[in-house]
Amino acid sequence: MSRHKKIVHENEPVKFNKHSHKIQALKGFKDILPEHQKFWNFVAEKVKDTAEDYSFQKIDTPVLESALLFQRTIGEETDIVAKEMYTFTDKSGELITMRPEMTAPVARAYIEHGMISWPQPVKLWYLASLFRHENTQAGRLREHHQFGFEVLGGAEPELDAELVIVAQGLYKSFGLEAEIEINSIGCSTCRREYIKSLKKFLRDKKVCETCEGRLERNPLRVLDCKEKKCQENLVEAPQILDSLCEDCKNHFVKVLEILDDNSIGYNLNPYLVRGLDYYNRTVFEIFTKSQTEDKMALGGGGRYDYLIEQIGGRPTPAVGFAGGLERVIIKIRELGFEIKEEGHGDVFVAQLGDEARKKCMKLFNELRKHGVKTREAFNKKGLTEQLEIANRLKVKYALILGQKEIMDGTIIIRDMESGIQEIIDLEKVVPEIKRRLLGMNGLKVYSEKE
Ligand code: AMP
Protein backbone atom coordinates (compact mmCIF):
# COMPACT_ATOMS: atom_id res chain seq x y z
CA MET A 1 0.00 0.00 0.00
CA SER A 2 1.26 3.46 -0.84
CA ARG A 3 2.42 5.43 2.19
CA HIS A 4 1.49 8.64 0.48
CA LYS A 5 -1.88 10.21 1.06
CA LYS A 6 -4.13 10.03 -1.97
CA ILE A 7 -4.84 13.52 -3.18
CA VAL A 8 -8.49 14.04 -4.01
CA HIS A 9 -8.94 16.64 -6.70
CA GLU A 10 -11.50 19.38 -6.42
CA ASN A 11 -14.20 18.00 -8.69
CA GLU A 12 -13.52 14.32 -8.18
CA PRO A 13 -16.41 12.61 -6.35
CA VAL A 14 -15.27 11.22 -3.00
CA LYS A 15 -15.98 7.50 -2.82
CA PHE A 16 -16.86 5.98 0.54
CA ASN A 17 -16.74 2.34 1.40
CA LYS A 18 -16.70 0.52 4.69
CA HIS A 19 -12.90 0.66 4.75
CA SER A 20 -12.80 4.46 4.45
CA HIS A 21 -11.36 6.27 7.39
CA LYS A 22 -13.76 8.16 9.56
CA ILE A 23 -13.84 11.82 8.65
CA GLN A 24 -12.53 13.90 11.50
CA ALA A 25 -12.03 17.59 12.17
CA LEU A 26 -8.90 18.95 10.50
CA LYS A 27 -5.68 19.14 12.48
CA GLY A 28 -5.64 22.33 14.53
CA PHE A 29 -9.40 22.82 14.21
CA LYS A 30 -11.63 22.11 17.19
CA ASP A 31 -15.28 21.60 17.98
CA ILE A 32 -16.58 23.56 20.93
CA LEU A 33 -18.79 21.04 22.69
CA PRO A 34 -21.86 21.89 24.79
CA GLU A 35 -19.98 21.20 28.03
CA HIS A 36 -17.36 23.80 27.11
CA GLN A 37 -19.79 26.50 26.10
CA LYS A 38 -20.03 27.91 29.61
CA PHE A 39 -16.35 28.93 29.47
CA TRP A 40 -16.81 30.59 26.07
CA ASN A 41 -19.93 32.38 27.24
CA PHE A 42 -18.17 33.54 30.38
CA VAL A 43 -15.25 35.05 28.46
CA ALA A 44 -17.48 36.54 25.76
CA GLU A 45 -19.72 38.17 28.39
CA LYS A 46 -16.76 39.77 30.17
CA VAL A 47 -15.37 41.08 26.87
CA LYS A 48 -18.76 42.56 25.99
CA ASP A 49 -19.18 44.16 29.42
CA THR A 50 -15.69 45.68 29.26
CA ALA A 51 -16.26 46.95 25.72
CA GLU A 52 -19.49 48.61 26.79
CA ASP A 53 -17.89 50.16 29.88
CA TYR A 54 -15.30 51.84 27.67
CA SER A 55 -17.75 52.79 24.87
CA PHE A 56 -16.47 50.42 22.17
CA GLN A 57 -18.98 49.45 19.47
CA LYS A 58 -19.06 45.94 18.07
CA ILE A 59 -17.93 45.17 14.53
CA ASP A 60 -17.99 41.91 12.55
CA THR A 61 -16.12 41.54 9.29
CA PRO A 62 -16.12 38.69 6.74
CA VAL A 63 -13.91 35.62 7.21
CA LEU A 64 -12.61 36.00 3.64
CA GLU A 65 -10.70 39.05 2.46
CA SER A 66 -8.53 39.93 -0.49
CA ALA A 67 -5.05 38.42 0.12
CA LEU A 68 -3.59 41.84 -0.67
CA LEU A 69 -5.04 43.28 2.54
CA PHE A 70 -2.73 41.13 4.65
CA GLN A 71 0.24 41.07 2.29
CA ARG A 72 0.36 44.87 2.28
CA THR A 73 -0.05 45.36 6.01
CA ILE A 74 1.29 42.47 8.09
CA GLY A 75 4.48 42.26 6.01
CA GLU A 76 5.85 39.71 3.54
CA GLU A 77 8.63 38.73 5.93
CA THR A 78 6.39 37.74 8.82
CA ASP A 79 5.63 34.09 9.57
CA ILE A 80 1.95 34.81 9.09
CA VAL A 81 2.24 36.06 5.52
CA ALA A 82 5.24 33.95 4.49
CA LYS A 83 4.01 30.59 5.79
CA GLU A 84 0.71 30.56 7.58
CA MET A 85 -2.05 32.13 5.54
CA TYR A 86 -4.87 30.06 4.12
CA THR A 87 -4.83 31.62 0.67
CA PHE A 88 -6.52 30.33 -2.45
CA THR A 89 -7.72 31.47 -5.82
CA ASP A 90 -11.50 31.53 -5.97
CA LYS A 91 -13.62 30.67 -8.97
CA SER A 92 -13.33 34.19 -10.37
CA GLY A 93 -9.54 34.02 -10.17
CA GLU A 94 -9.20 36.40 -7.21
CA LEU A 95 -6.58 35.68 -4.56
CA ILE A 96 -8.47 35.26 -1.30
CA THR A 97 -7.24 34.81 2.28
CA MET A 98 -9.03 33.50 5.34
CA ARG A 99 -8.36 36.27 7.84
CA PRO A 100 -5.31 35.51 10.02
CA GLU A 101 -5.90 38.58 12.20
CA MET A 102 -8.47 41.33 12.64
CA THR A 103 -6.66 44.67 12.72
CA ALA A 104 -6.29 44.96 8.94
CA PRO A 105 -9.94 43.96 8.26
CA VAL A 106 -11.17 46.50 10.84
CA ALA A 107 -8.97 49.18 9.25
CA ARG A 108 -10.34 48.22 5.83
CA ALA A 109 -13.90 48.56 7.16
CA TYR A 110 -13.01 51.95 8.68
CA ILE A 111 -11.99 53.23 5.25
CA GLU A 112 -14.73 51.47 3.30
CA HIS A 113 -17.56 52.83 5.47
CA GLY A 114 -16.23 56.36 5.71
CA MET A 115 -15.73 56.14 9.48
CA ILE A 116 -13.26 58.99 9.14
CA SER A 117 -16.31 61.27 9.12
CA TRP A 118 -17.62 59.83 12.42
CA PRO A 119 -16.63 61.53 15.69
CA GLN A 120 -13.02 60.47 16.29
CA PRO A 121 -11.61 58.30 17.62
CA VAL A 122 -13.81 55.42 16.50
CA LYS A 123 -13.70 52.68 19.12
CA LEU A 124 -14.53 49.20 17.85
CA TRP A 125 -14.44 45.73 19.39
CA TYR A 126 -14.81 42.24 17.95
CA LEU A 127 -14.80 38.57 18.70
CA ALA A 128 -13.71 36.57 15.69
CA SER A 129 -12.26 33.30 14.45
CA LEU A 130 -8.86 33.50 12.79
CA PHE A 131 -6.95 31.07 10.59
CA ARG A 132 -3.21 30.43 10.57
CA HIS A 133 -1.53 27.28 9.26
CA GLU A 134 0.76 26.92 12.27
CA ASN A 135 2.50 23.93 13.78
CA THR A 136 -0.14 22.84 16.21
CA GLN A 137 0.49 22.31 19.91
CA ALA A 138 -1.31 23.04 23.17
CA GLY A 139 -2.63 26.60 22.90
CA ARG A 140 -1.62 26.89 19.24
CA LEU A 141 -4.38 26.06 16.81
CA ARG A 142 -5.01 26.60 13.11
CA GLU A 143 -8.38 28.10 13.85
CA HIS A 144 -8.39 30.20 16.98
CA HIS A 145 -10.53 33.04 18.29
CA GLN A 146 -9.57 36.50 19.38
CA PHE A 147 -11.36 39.31 21.13
CA GLY A 148 -9.99 42.70 20.30
CA PHE A 149 -10.35 46.44 20.74
CA GLU A 150 -9.31 49.00 18.14
CA VAL A 151 -9.21 52.77 18.55
CA LEU A 152 -8.99 54.44 15.14
CA GLY A 153 -8.43 58.13 14.53
CA GLY A 154 -6.53 59.12 17.67
CA ALA A 155 -2.82 59.77 18.21
CA GLU A 156 -2.85 60.62 21.92
CA PRO A 157 -0.74 58.55 24.33
CA GLU A 158 -3.82 58.42 26.60
CA LEU A 159 -5.37 56.02 24.09
CA ASP A 160 -2.40 53.62 24.19
CA ALA A 161 -2.52 53.69 27.98
CA GLU A 162 -6.27 53.20 28.05
CA LEU A 163 -5.94 50.04 25.97
CA VAL A 164 -3.34 48.61 28.34
CA ILE A 165 -5.68 49.44 31.22
CA VAL A 166 -8.63 47.84 29.40
CA ALA A 167 -6.59 44.70 28.75
CA GLN A 168 -5.33 44.47 32.32
CA GLY A 169 -8.86 44.94 33.73
CA LEU A 170 -10.30 42.41 31.33
CA TYR A 171 -7.87 39.67 32.37
CA LYS A 172 -8.59 40.52 35.98
CA SER A 173 -12.31 40.06 35.29
CA PHE A 174 -11.47 36.57 33.94
CA GLY A 175 -9.77 35.92 37.29
CA LEU A 176 -6.30 35.98 35.72
CA GLU A 177 -3.31 37.94 36.87
CA ALA A 178 -1.82 39.53 33.76
CA GLU A 179 1.81 40.47 33.38
CA ILE A 180 2.29 43.34 30.97
CA GLU A 181 5.41 43.81 28.87
CA ILE A 182 5.76 47.06 27.03
CA ASN A 183 8.15 48.78 24.66
CA SER A 184 8.27 51.50 22.05
CA ILE A 185 9.58 50.76 18.57
CA GLY A 186 9.50 54.42 17.52
CA CYS A 187 8.33 55.94 14.26
CA SER A 188 9.57 55.20 10.75
CA THR A 189 12.31 57.83 11.10
CA CYS A 190 13.88 56.89 14.40
CA ARG A 191 13.43 53.19 13.70
CA ARG A 192 15.46 53.54 10.51
CA GLU A 193 18.38 54.86 12.57
CA TYR A 194 18.00 52.09 15.12
CA ILE A 195 17.91 49.39 12.45
CA LYS A 196 21.18 50.73 11.04
CA SER A 197 22.90 50.45 14.42
CA LEU A 198 21.35 47.02 15.11
CA LYS A 199 22.55 45.70 11.76
CA LYS A 200 26.03 47.04 12.46
CA PHE A 201 26.03 45.37 15.87
CA LEU A 202 24.82 42.02 14.53
CA ARG A 203 27.17 42.00 11.53
CA ASP A 204 29.79 39.74 13.08
CA LYS A 205 27.48 37.87 15.48
CA LYS A 206 26.32 34.28 15.10
CA VAL A 207 22.56 34.10 14.80
CA CYS A 208 20.21 31.20 14.07
CA GLU A 209 19.47 30.19 10.49
CA THR A 210 16.08 31.94 10.39
CA CYS A 211 17.58 35.14 11.72
CA GLU A 212 20.34 35.07 9.12
CA GLY A 213 17.59 35.69 6.60
CA ARG A 214 15.91 38.26 8.83
CA LEU A 215 19.13 40.27 9.27
CA GLU A 216 18.74 41.82 5.85
CA ARG A 217 15.01 41.88 5.42
CA ASN A 218 13.58 42.51 8.90
CA PRO A 219 16.35 42.78 11.53
CA LEU A 220 13.95 43.89 14.29
CA ARG A 221 12.58 40.35 14.32
CA VAL A 222 15.97 39.10 15.57
CA LEU A 223 15.14 40.91 18.81
CA ASP A 224 12.26 38.63 19.69
CA CYS A 225 13.81 35.41 18.40
CA LYS A 226 13.42 32.66 20.99
CA GLU A 227 16.66 30.84 19.96
CA LYS A 228 19.25 30.82 22.72
CA LYS A 229 22.01 31.69 20.28
CA CYS A 230 20.24 34.88 19.23
CA GLN A 231 19.14 35.83 22.73
CA GLU A 232 22.71 35.59 24.04
CA ASN A 233 23.83 38.08 21.41
CA LEU A 234 21.26 40.59 22.39
CA VAL A 235 22.52 41.28 25.90
CA GLU A 236 24.91 43.87 24.51
CA ALA A 237 22.78 44.99 21.57
CA PRO A 238 21.83 48.65 21.22
CA GLN A 239 18.37 49.28 22.67
CA ILE A 240 15.64 50.83 20.63
CA LEU A 241 14.54 53.07 23.51
CA ASP A 242 17.88 54.86 23.28
CA SER A 243 17.24 55.69 19.62
CA LEU A 244 13.75 57.17 19.96
CA CYS A 245 13.27 60.65 18.55
CA GLU A 246 12.03 63.38 20.86
CA ASP A 247 8.35 62.97 19.88
CA CYS A 248 8.39 59.20 20.24
CA LYS A 249 10.20 59.44 23.56
CA ASN A 250 7.67 61.96 24.92
CA HIS A 251 4.80 59.83 23.71
CA PHE A 252 6.14 56.73 25.43
CA VAL A 253 6.96 58.56 28.67
CA LYS A 254 3.39 59.86 28.77
CA VAL A 255 1.98 56.33 28.27
CA LEU A 256 4.08 55.00 31.13
CA GLU A 257 3.16 57.95 33.37
CA ILE A 258 -0.54 57.22 32.90
CA LEU A 259 0.02 53.53 33.68
CA ASP A 260 1.92 54.55 36.83
CA ASP A 261 -0.85 56.96 37.84
CA ASN A 262 -3.33 54.13 37.51
CA SER A 263 -1.11 51.70 39.44
CA ILE A 264 -0.78 49.38 36.45
CA GLY A 265 2.36 47.29 36.83
CA TYR A 266 4.45 46.57 33.71
CA ASN A 267 7.87 45.38 32.65
CA LEU A 268 9.82 47.36 30.11
CA ASN A 269 10.99 44.83 27.54
CA PRO A 270 13.42 46.41 25.06
CA TYR A 271 13.29 43.27 22.89
CA LEU A 272 9.54 43.32 22.37
CA VAL A 273 8.79 44.22 18.74
CA ARG A 274 5.56 42.27 18.03
CA GLY A 275 6.65 40.87 14.67
CA LEU A 276 4.09 42.47 12.41
CA ASP A 277 5.22 45.30 10.14
CA TYR A 278 2.38 47.67 10.82
CA TYR A 279 3.24 48.55 14.41
CA ASN A 280 4.96 51.75 15.51
CA ARG A 281 5.58 53.45 18.86
CA THR A 282 3.90 51.62 21.76
CA VAL A 283 3.82 47.82 21.59
CA PHE A 284 2.75 45.57 24.45
CA GLU A 285 2.06 41.97 25.28
CA ILE A 286 0.14 40.28 28.04
CA PHE A 287 1.41 37.10 29.65
CA THR A 288 0.06 35.00 32.45
CA LYS A 289 1.93 35.39 35.70
CA SER A 290 4.69 32.85 35.49
CA GLN A 291 4.13 30.16 38.10
CA THR A 292 5.96 27.82 35.76
CA GLU A 293 8.93 28.66 33.61
CA ASP A 294 6.67 28.68 30.55
CA LYS A 295 4.98 32.01 30.22
CA MET A 296 2.02 31.96 27.87
CA ALA A 297 1.18 34.97 25.70
CA LEU A 298 -2.47 35.80 26.23
CA GLY A 299 -2.66 38.87 24.06
CA GLY A 300 -0.87 41.79 22.55
CA GLY A 301 -1.30 45.09 20.86
CA GLY A 302 0.18 48.36 19.84
CA ARG A 303 -0.06 51.48 17.79
CA TYR A 304 -0.38 51.26 14.01
CA ASP A 305 -0.33 54.81 12.71
CA TYR A 306 0.65 53.92 9.13
CA LEU A 307 -1.67 51.01 8.42
CA ILE A 308 -4.77 52.86 7.24
CA GLU A 309 -2.73 54.90 4.80
CA GLN A 310 -1.01 51.71 3.54
CA ILE A 311 -4.35 50.34 2.42
CA GLY A 312 -5.56 53.47 0.72
CA GLY A 313 -7.05 55.57 3.52
CA ARG A 314 -6.04 59.01 4.71
CA PRO A 315 -3.20 59.03 7.26
CA THR A 316 -5.01 57.99 10.44
CA PRO A 317 -3.31 57.13 13.73
CA ALA A 318 -4.70 54.11 15.54
CA VAL A 319 -3.98 51.70 18.35
CA GLY A 320 -5.36 48.28 19.24
CA PHE A 321 -5.20 45.17 21.36
CA ALA A 322 -6.24 41.55 20.80
CA GLY A 323 -6.29 38.50 23.04
CA GLY A 324 -6.68 34.78 22.38
CA LEU A 325 -9.86 33.18 23.73
CA GLU A 326 -8.62 29.59 23.75
CA ARG A 327 -5.62 30.47 25.88
CA VAL A 328 -7.76 32.33 28.42
CA ILE A 329 -10.00 29.29 28.65
CA ILE A 330 -7.02 26.94 29.05
CA LYS A 331 -5.83 29.11 31.93
CA ILE A 332 -9.25 29.40 33.59
CA ARG A 333 -9.68 25.62 33.42
CA GLU A 334 -6.13 24.96 34.65
CA LEU A 335 -6.81 27.11 37.69
CA GLY A 336 -10.05 25.21 38.28
CA PHE A 337 -12.34 28.24 38.47
CA GLU A 338 -15.98 27.43 39.01
CA ILE A 339 -17.96 28.96 36.20
CA LYS A 340 -21.63 29.16 37.04
CA GLU A 341 -23.77 27.24 34.56
CA GLU A 342 -26.01 29.36 32.42
CA GLY A 343 -29.47 29.62 33.96
CA HIS A 344 -31.38 26.68 32.54
CA GLY A 345 -34.78 28.15 33.18
CA ASP A 346 -37.20 28.95 35.95
CA VAL A 347 -40.16 26.76 35.18
CA PHE A 348 -40.63 23.27 33.75
CA VAL A 349 -44.00 22.20 32.35
CA ALA A 350 -44.72 18.51 32.90
CA GLN A 351 -47.66 16.77 31.26
CA LEU A 352 -49.46 13.45 31.61
CA GLY A 353 -51.58 12.29 28.69
CA ASP A 354 -52.31 13.62 25.20
CA GLU A 355 -54.81 16.25 26.28
CA ALA A 356 -52.47 17.59 28.95
CA ARG A 357 -49.60 17.71 26.47
CA LYS A 358 -51.65 19.89 24.12
CA LYS A 359 -52.58 22.28 26.90
CA CYS A 360 -48.99 22.35 28.19
CA MET A 361 -47.65 23.28 24.76
CA LYS A 362 -49.96 26.31 24.83
CA LEU A 363 -48.99 27.11 28.42
CA PHE A 364 -45.30 26.81 27.51
CA ASN A 365 -45.70 29.44 24.77
CA GLU A 366 -47.79 31.64 27.04
CA LEU A 367 -45.13 31.63 29.76
CA ARG A 368 -42.39 32.37 27.24
CA LYS A 369 -44.44 35.26 25.84
CA HIS A 370 -44.41 36.71 29.34
CA GLY A 371 -40.65 36.45 29.48
CA VAL A 372 -40.53 33.45 31.84
CA LYS A 373 -37.66 31.07 31.06
CA THR A 374 -39.61 27.87 30.52
CA ARG A 375 -38.41 24.35 29.75
CA GLU A 376 -40.21 21.16 28.68
CA ALA A 377 -39.77 17.54 27.61
CA PHE A 378 -42.89 16.98 25.51
CA ASN A 379 -41.43 13.80 24.05
CA LYS A 380 -41.47 12.15 27.50
CA LYS A 381 -44.55 10.51 28.97
CA GLY A 382 -43.74 9.52 32.57
CA LEU A 383 -43.91 12.11 35.35
CA THR A 384 -40.85 10.78 37.21
CA GLU A 385 -38.76 11.05 34.08
CA GLN A 386 -39.94 14.62 33.47
CA LEU A 387 -39.30 15.69 37.06
CA GLU A 388 -35.80 14.23 36.85
CA ILE A 389 -35.13 16.46 33.87
CA ALA A 390 -36.60 19.45 35.71
CA ASN A 391 -34.27 18.65 38.59
CA ARG A 392 -31.25 18.43 36.33
CA LEU A 393 -32.13 21.78 34.77
CA LYS A 394 -32.28 23.25 38.28
CA VAL A 395 -35.56 25.06 37.60
CA LYS A 396 -37.32 26.70 40.50
CA TYR A 397 -40.84 25.38 39.78
CA ALA A 398 -42.42 22.50 37.90
CA LEU A 399 -45.99 22.88 36.68
CA ILE A 400 -47.74 19.53 36.50
CA LEU A 401 -50.87 18.92 34.45
CA GLY A 402 -52.64 15.53 34.39
CA GLN A 403 -56.12 14.19 33.63
CA LYS A 404 -57.54 15.15 37.01
CA GLU A 405 -56.25 18.72 36.81
CA ILE A 406 -57.72 19.14 33.34
CA MET A 407 -61.13 18.07 34.63
CA ASP A 408 -60.86 20.46 37.60
CA GLY A 409 -59.40 23.37 35.56
CA THR A 410 -56.35 23.44 37.86
CA ILE A 411 -52.59 22.82 37.73
CA ILE A 412 -50.01 21.76 40.32
CA ILE A 413 -47.13 24.07 41.19
CA ARG A 414 -44.22 22.14 42.65
CA ASP A 415 -41.40 23.98 44.39
CA MET A 416 -38.46 21.90 43.19
CA GLU A 417 -36.28 22.67 46.18
CA SER A 418 -38.73 21.96 49.00
CA GLY A 419 -40.92 19.49 47.09
CA ILE A 420 -44.02 21.34 48.34
CA GLN A 421 -46.92 21.12 45.88
CA GLU A 422 -49.92 23.45 45.65
CA ILE A 423 -52.95 23.36 43.40
CA ILE A 424 -54.10 26.55 41.69
CA ASP A 425 -56.54 27.50 38.95
CA LEU A 426 -55.02 26.87 35.55
CA GLU A 427 -56.02 30.30 34.28
CA LYS A 428 -54.20 32.02 37.16
CA VAL A 429 -50.95 30.15 36.68
CA VAL A 430 -49.11 32.70 34.51
CA PRO A 431 -49.61 35.73 36.81
CA GLU A 432 -48.91 33.49 39.83
CA ILE A 433 -45.57 32.29 38.40
CA LYS A 434 -44.60 35.84 37.48
CA ARG A 435 -45.46 37.03 41.00
CA ARG A 436 -43.41 34.27 42.59
CA LEU A 437 -40.37 34.75 40.38
CA LEU A 438 -40.47 38.47 40.94
CA GLY A 439 -40.57 37.93 44.65
CA MET A 440 -37.72 35.41 44.53
CA ASN A 441 -34.87 37.85 44.92
CA GLY A 442 -36.64 41.14 44.44
CA LEU A 443 -34.52 41.81 41.38
CA LYS A 444 -35.92 39.55 38.76
CA VAL A 445 -38.04 41.59 36.37
CA TYR A 446 -39.89 40.03 33.49
CA SER A 447 -41.15 41.99 30.55
CA GLU A 448 -44.81 42.79 30.66
CA LYS A 449 -45.40 42.06 27.00
CA GLU A 450 -48.57 40.13 26.32
P1 AMP B 1 -1.22 37.73 17.76
O1 AMP B 1 -2.31 38.19 16.82
O2 AMP B 1 -0.32 36.71 17.14
O3 AMP B 1 -0.53 38.84 18.46
O4 AMP B 1 -1.96 36.92 18.89
C1 AMP B 1 -2.73 37.52 19.90
C2 AMP B 1 -3.07 36.43 20.89
O5 AMP B 1 -3.90 35.45 20.24
C3 AMP B 1 -1.88 35.65 21.40
O6 AMP B 1 -1.31 36.29 22.50
C4 AMP B 1 -2.52 34.33 21.78
O7 AMP B 1 -3.16 34.43 23.04
C5 AMP B 1 -3.58 34.17 20.72
N1 AMP B 1 -3.11 33.31 19.60
C6 AMP B 1 -2.33 33.69 18.57
N2 AMP B 1 -2.12 32.68 17.72
C7 AMP B 1 -2.79 31.62 18.22
C8 AMP B 1 -2.99 30.28 17.80
N3 AMP B 1 -2.45 29.82 16.68
N4 AMP B 1 -3.74 29.46 18.58
C9 AMP B 1 -4.31 29.92 19.71
N5 AMP B 1 -4.17 31.18 20.16
C10 AMP B 1 -3.42 32.02 19.42
Side-chain angles (χ1 to χ4, degrees), residues 6 13 28 73 142 151 210 223 227 259 266 293 326 382 450:
K6 180 175 184 298
T73 54
R142 291 185 175 166
V151 182
T210 325
L223 291 180
E227 288 291 324
L259 296 182
Y266 55 83
E293 67 284 5
E326 281 85 353
E450 287 304 311

Side-chain angles (χ1 to χ4, degrees), residues 200-217:
K200 198 162 149 210
F201 170 82
L202 289 171
R203 200 179 294 149
D204 52 354
K205 303 282 184 298
K206 282 247 165 301
V207 290
C208 74
E209 212 174 303
T210 325
C211 284
E212 266 172 24
R214 286 172 174 162
L215 270 180
E216 255 327 293
R217 299 189 301 262

Side-chain angles (χ1 to χ4, degrees), residues 301-331:
R303 189 157 267 293
Y304 50 95
D305 294 341
Y306 310 126
L307 189 149
I308 293 176
E309 197 180 354
Q310 268 169 12
I311 53 172
R314 277 196 252 151
T316 310
V319 57
F321 160 77
L325 248 95
E326 281 85 353
R327 296 206 187 163
V328 167
I329 292 172
I330 291 175
K331 232 33 228 177

Side-chain angles (χ1 to χ4, degrees), residues 132 134 139-141 144 146 274 297-300 322-324 327:
R132 299 178 189 174
E134 301 207 59
R140 191 166 290 285
L141 298 163
H144 77 280
Q146 287 189 7
R274 295 267 310 128
L298 292 179
R327 296 206 187 163

Side-chain angles (χ1 to χ4, degrees), residues 365-372 430 434 445-450:
N365 287 326
E366 195 60 20
L367 285 161
R368 290 196 61 238
K369 259 206 301 197
H370 282 264
V372 179
V430 175
K434 282 173 74 177
V445 180
Y446 286 106
S447 69
E448 284 303 316
K449 59 186 170 183
E450 287 304 311

